[in-house]
Amino acid sequence: MEDTYRTIEAPAEGLYKEKGSKFIALAYPVYTEEEVKEVLAELRKKYYDARHHCYAYILGADQSRYRANDDGEPNHSAGDPILGQIRSAGLSNVLVVVVRYFGGTKLGVSGLINAYKVSTAEALAGASIVEKHETVLLQAHYAYPQMNDVMSLVKEYDLNVRDQQFELDCRLTLEVRRQLQEEITTRLEEMEGVSVAVLGEGL
């Protein structure tokens, strides 16, 4: 299924030491570039005395959005090895930041590539891997009399209700598997007086 991907369930950590340098690899499940920025800002505060905060991430079930950053290390010696490890683990919606404390002895480019690769592999090996589906948030607007029809559709597809407001006009926010988005939107819009809006990506 093209909307299925593997990611990590919770943050994980790895550590690698070489000639006094310390590489702390921190892996996080993330879903947007915004989240990536927030995590980086937090880590820069927490590890403010570190020499480098190198990172890479992959987003989307199709792994189409990705980035690698060397943060001042020689070109392609940090971000790319981190990215390579995320790829070879077959993961998406994952950010790995490797915080480096310099130990005074230069490791050379091949030494750096190895250090960033091994610390990342260590963090990912310690993570719990889960399979997820890409989802979309749909919001259905309808009048109270349509409640039964809408709720029976929710039950039929076993949809996750993220938010609901039942007043004179009802609003229901549903998390829908991306593959079923069109089908469910059509089914809802076929009901009299029901309109559907896409709020954005779920997870």
Side-chain angles (χ1 to χ4, degrees):
M1 297 286 199
E2 73 278 2
D3 65 346
T4 303
Y5 63 92
R6 291 166 76 243
T7 189
I8 61 175
E9 195 168 26
E13 203 170 304
L15 179 66
Y16 179 77
K17 292 177 180 171
E18 174 80 16
K19 293 179 182 163
S21 275
K22 199 160 75 162
F23 297 82
I24 305 163
L26 303 144
Y28 295 87
V30 289
Y31 298 95
T32 62
E33 270 97 354
E34 210 44 58
E35 273 183 276
V36 169
K37 284 178 195 156
E38 283 166 22
V39 173
L40 283 167
E42 275 172 40
L43 292 178
R44 287 203 171 106
K45 263 188 233 159
K46 187 177 175 183
Y47 298 98
Y48 64 91
D49 53 345
R51 175 74 70 95
H52 302 281
H53 300 82
C54 306
Y55 67 90
Y57 63 80
I58 298 180
L59 299 177
D62 57 359
Q63 302 189 334
S64 61
R65 288 172 292 156
Y66 57 87
R67 183 153 184 229
N69 187 306
D70 296 313
D71 192 37
E73 292 281 35
N75 268 358
H76 309 300
S77 67
D80 283 356
I82 298 170
L83 186 66
Q85 287 304 300
I86 301 172
R87 278 218 174 103
S88 65
L91 301 174
S92 194
N93 288 349
V94 170
L95 161 71
V96 178
V97 182
V98 180
V99 176
R100 180 191 182 189
Y101 286 93
F102 185 55
T105 307
K106 290 195 171 179
L107 303 181
V109 171
S110 63
L112 286 174
I113 289 171
N114 186 56
Y116 283 103
K117 190 175 162 181
V118 173
S119 55
T120 302
E122 187 85 9
L124 296 176
S128 170
I129 309 292
V130 288
E131 197 165 274
K132 288 193 170 187
H133 305 301
E134 265 193 320
T135 58
V136 177
L137 295 179
L138 297 181
Q139 192 172 71
H141 291 253
Y142 53 94
Y144 204 78
Q146 269 77 41
M147 170 81 78
N148 282 346
D149 291 344
V150 172
M151 292 319 277
S152 67
L153 183 83
V154 168
K155 210 170 162 188
E156 182 189 332
Y157 284 94
D158 193 20
L159 299 176
N160 181 13
V161 177
R162 291 279 284 263
D163 188 35
Q164 50 193 26
Q165 285 170 309
F166 299 139
E167 286 154 22
L168 223 51
D169 278 337
C170 303
R171 268 211 314 256
L172 198 62
T173 304
L174 302 167
E175 190 176 357
V176 172
R177 188 168 168 180
R178 186 181 287 285
Q179 244 179 13
L180 296 171
Q181 178 185 349
E182 216 171 296
E183 188 179 320
I184 287 167
T185 302
T186 305
R187 290 278 304 273
L188 284 166
E189 285 176 340
E190 279 169 356
M191 296 174 193
E192 200 179 324
V194 178
S195 68
V196 181
V198 178
L199 294 187
E201 289 184 10
L203 295 182

